[in-house]
């Protein structure tokens, strides 16, 4: 299959009909951007203990930095996406990466817990736009038949954030302090903003974004997707916000938290791979199975809490199941056709972060009432609610997949083309990772290596 088309096919609203070099580079850049977005969002999960000690607050109070970030996203995702819909997509995406860099600089240099929270709000504003734009961006720079797989590829950056970003940041924090760790991510996000401005294919904004109304969202099934997504994230973050302290309480050495997060994040890649396989063939069935497995894992965790091996095995099953959900929910929202893809992304993004904020808050309350061992029960209860919505909402989660062209990727030609996208992207990703790794090394090498206990 030819991979050459004119540049204008990507730089306008016209979708390319074949995989282009610009498409390959664009998807790779979006994947890397997603990696740093997730790393920025979730770093406090791995740094919770060391940050709370340094800033003189309790771990449950420190969990607020997760809540304020998510609250900013939840409140601003839809209005900001709608307000910026007519702007060039590259401009908006680069602005979000700059926002992540500014957020991390504020957190890394914060003299107090209040300033850390302010920096996290800045990151939340950037995040409110990023995932709304990135998901739709991916569908605009590849042929229509590859849109579902493009979303899955971009979401692989999320899994890499879990697998590498958060564990590496945690390891750096444990080695030389949490401030250099956050500062290094700030520098890397700034470097990626330059890369995106240089290499990301240009895509126009929408002249008239289709927002719809709550009644239309309900009629098309989009509302049910949003509600189920909100409950899924709430249940997940009841436990994930405190996974570091939970693992230590189960017998893990405090110095091994970064390694544990690396292992757990690795299982999420399995889920992402499954999502890529089934996002077009059996999305409803896959999502039902994933949520059920997550709920069962949460219900089991308190009973194996006395065994570190048992805790890690069950937590790994939970994280593998969770790895499927991001792609499946985003694809389901876009497939309803109730709104334009950017707006669908904003609604899912906002719902996810309402769930994150609510889950972190519920987790903090449950932690004070029942303690770490029994905390997963609270998450399991919320996940059952999400499962119930998916079971009942056959319009948002149909038994038979939608036959919309922009997300149909079941043909042999589509599979072959998507493999070409992935394999051709490997050198691009490798070079970018090497560049960013070098930047991180410079940043960490320039900071005094004072060990924090």
């Amino acid at each position: 299959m030819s991979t050459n088309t004119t540049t204008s096919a990507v730089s306008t609203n016209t979708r390319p009909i074949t995989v282009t070099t610009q498409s390959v580079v664009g998807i790779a850049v979006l994947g890397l951007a997603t990696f740093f977005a997730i790393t920025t969002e979730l770093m406090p999960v791995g740094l919770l203990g060391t940050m709370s000690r340094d800033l003189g607050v309790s771990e449950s109070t420190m969990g607020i930095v997760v809540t304020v970030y998510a609250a900013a996203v939840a409140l601003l995702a839809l209005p900001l996406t709608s307000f910026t819909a007519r702007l060039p997509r590259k401009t908006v995406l680069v602005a979000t990466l700059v926002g992540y860099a500014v957020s991390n600089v504020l957190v890394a240099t914060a003299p107090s817990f209040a300033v850390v929270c302010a920096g996290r709000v800045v990151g939340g504003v950037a995040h409110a736009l990023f995932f709304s734009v990135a998901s739709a961006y991916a569908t605009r720079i590849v042929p229509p038949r590859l849109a579902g797989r493009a979303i899955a590829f971009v979401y692989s950056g999320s899994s890499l954030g879990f697998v590498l970003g958060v564990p590496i940041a945690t390891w750096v924090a444990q080695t030389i302090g949490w401030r250099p760790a956050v500062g290094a991510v700030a520098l890397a996000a700034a470097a990626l903003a330059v890369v995106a401005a240089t290499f990301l294919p240009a895509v126009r904004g929408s002249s008239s974004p289709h927002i719809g109304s709550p009644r239309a969202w309900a009629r098309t099934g989009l509302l049910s997707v949003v509600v189920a997504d909100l409950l899924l994230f709430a249940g997940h973050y009841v436990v994930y916000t405190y996974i570091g302290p939970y693992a230590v309480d189960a017998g893990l050495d405090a110095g091994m938290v970064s390694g544990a997060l690396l292992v757990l994040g690795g299982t999420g890649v399995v889920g992402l791979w499954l999502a890529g396989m089934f996002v077009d063939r059996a999305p409803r069935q896959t999502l039902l199975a994933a949520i059920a497995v997550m709920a069962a894992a949460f219900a089991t965790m308190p009973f194996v809490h006395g065994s570190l091996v048992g805790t890690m095995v069950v937590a790994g099953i939970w994280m593998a199941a969770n790895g499927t959900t991001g792609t499946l929910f985003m694809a389901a929202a876009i497939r309803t056709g109730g709104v334009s893809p950017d707006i669908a992304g904003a609604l899912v993004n906002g719902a996810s972060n309402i769930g994150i904020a609510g889950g972190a808050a519920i987790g903090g309350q449950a932690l004070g009432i029942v303690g770490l061992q029994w905390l997963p029960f609270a998450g399991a209860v919320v996940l059952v609610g999400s499962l119930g919505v998916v079971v009942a909402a056959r319009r948002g989660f149909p038994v038979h997949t939608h036959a919309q062209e922009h997300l149909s990727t079941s043909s042999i030609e589509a599979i072959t083309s998507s493999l070409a996208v992935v394999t051709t992207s490997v050198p691009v990703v490798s070079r970018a990772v090497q560049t960013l790794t070098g930047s991180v090394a410079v940043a960490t090498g320039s900071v005094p290596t004072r060990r924090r206990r």
Side-chain angles (χ1 to χ4, degrees):
M1 174 180 292
S2 172
T3 59
N4 296 316
T5 63
T6 61
T7 300
S8 61
V10 176
S11 60
T12 71
N13 282 333
T14 303
R15 300 276 292 281
I17 59 173
T18 60
V19 179
T20 69
T21 301
Q22 281 195 310
S23 298
V24 170
V25 174
I27 293 297
V29 170
L30 289 172
L32 283 170
T34 305
F35 169 82
F36 283 104
I38 290 295
T39 301
T40 295
E41 179 183 22
L42 299 182
M43 267 194 302
V45 172
L47 311 183
L48 207 64
T50 184
M51 289 179 73
S52 65
R53 288 191 296 272
D54 185 58
L55 296 169
V57 299
S58 67
E59 288 182 348
S60 59
T61 300
M62 200 68 218
I64 292 173
V65 300
V66 177
T67 302
V68 297
Y69 188 103
V73 180
L75 291 172
L76 298 174
L78 183 58
L80 281 181
T81 301
S82 178
F83 180 74
T84 61
R86 293 174 175 80
L87 297 177
R89 300 291 84 191
K90 180 191 283 192
T91 301
V92 176
L93 192 82
V94 170
T96 65
L97 293 173
V98 172
Y100 286 129
V102 172
S103 169
N104 286 313
V105 167
L106 287 173
V107 172
T109 59
S112 66
F113 175 70
V115 178
V116 170
C117 288
R120 292 288 291 173
V121 170
V122 173
V125 173
H127 207 83
L129 270 174
F130 176 78
F131 275 94
S132 308
V133 175
S135 299
Y137 211 128
T139 68
R140 299 267 295 276
I141 61 177
V142 297
R145 65 187 182 279
L146 297 180
R149 302 209 175 221
I151 293 174
F153 191 92
V154 170
Y155 265 78
S156 68
S158 299
S159 289
L160 286 176
F162 281 107
V163 174
L164 296 176
V166 176
I168 289 173
T170 304
W171 176 79
V172 172
Q174 292 171 343
T175 304
I176 61 174
W178 66 269
R179 294 180 188 274
V182 178
V185 175
L187 182 60
L192 186 58
V194 175
V195 172
T198 305
F199 296 108
L200 195 65
V203 173
R204 293 179 185 171
S206 174
S207 58
S208 56
H210 178 44
I211 299 175
S213 66
R215 181 176 296 179
W217 302 345
R219 184 178 64 252
T220 59
L222 177 60
L223 186 61
S224 62
V225 175
V226 168
V227 171
D229 178 77
L230 186 157
L231 292 173
L232 183 285
F233 272 81
H236 175 68
Y237 274 85
V238 165
V239 184
Y240 189 72
T241 303
Y242 301 97
I243 188 61
Y246 188 91
V248 170
D249 194 59
L252 183 71
D253 184 90
M256 295 297 294
V257 170
S258 60
L261 292 176
L262 181 65
V263 172
L264 294 178
T267 64
V269 175
V270 176
L272 184 74
W273 174 71
L274 290 172
M277 287 183 62
F278 295 107
V279 65
D280 297 308
R281 286 189 270 175
R284 174 185 172 86
Q285 297 89 328
T286 306
L287 189 57
L288 286 171
I291 300 174
V293 168
M294 288 176 66
F298 279 177
T300 303
M301 285 176 70
F303 299 104
V304 298
H305 191 63
S307 165
L308 178 58
V309 173
T311 297
M312 290 298 293
V313 168
V314 176
I317 293 171
W318 149 41
M319 292 296 290
N322 181 71
T324 68
T325 58
T327 300
L328 293 171
F329 273 117
M330 186 62 72
I334 294 175
R335 278 176 169 142
T336 63
V339 294
S340 59
D342 283 15
I343 301 301
L347 289 171
V348 172
N349 192 19
S352 299
N353 282 274
I354 292 173
I356 292 171
I362 293 170
Q365 293 297 314
L367 181 61
I369 296 172
V370 302
L372 279 167
Q373 179 176 353
W374 301 100
L375 183 64
F377 271 161
V381 170
V382 181
L383 287 177
V384 169
S386 177
L387 184 65
V389 173
V390 177
V391 169
R394 290 179 175 266
R395 187 176 295 275
F397 305 96
V399 175
H400 302 290
T401 59
H402 293 278
Q404 293 177 337
E405 181 190 21
H406 66 276
L407 279 176
S408 175
T409 62
S410 57
S411 68
I412 295 297
E413 181 183 12
I415 294 172
T416 303
S417 299
S418 65
L419 288 174
V421 171
V422 173
T423 54
T424 311
S425 297
V426 169
V428 178
V429 176
S430 299
R431 286 194 296 271
V433 169
Q434 289 171 1
T435 301
L436 295 175
T437 303
S439 299
V440 171
V442 171
T444 55
S446 64
V447 179
T449 57
R450 181 165 63 91
R451 185 183 298 271
R452 295 186 184 272
R453 294 174 60 93

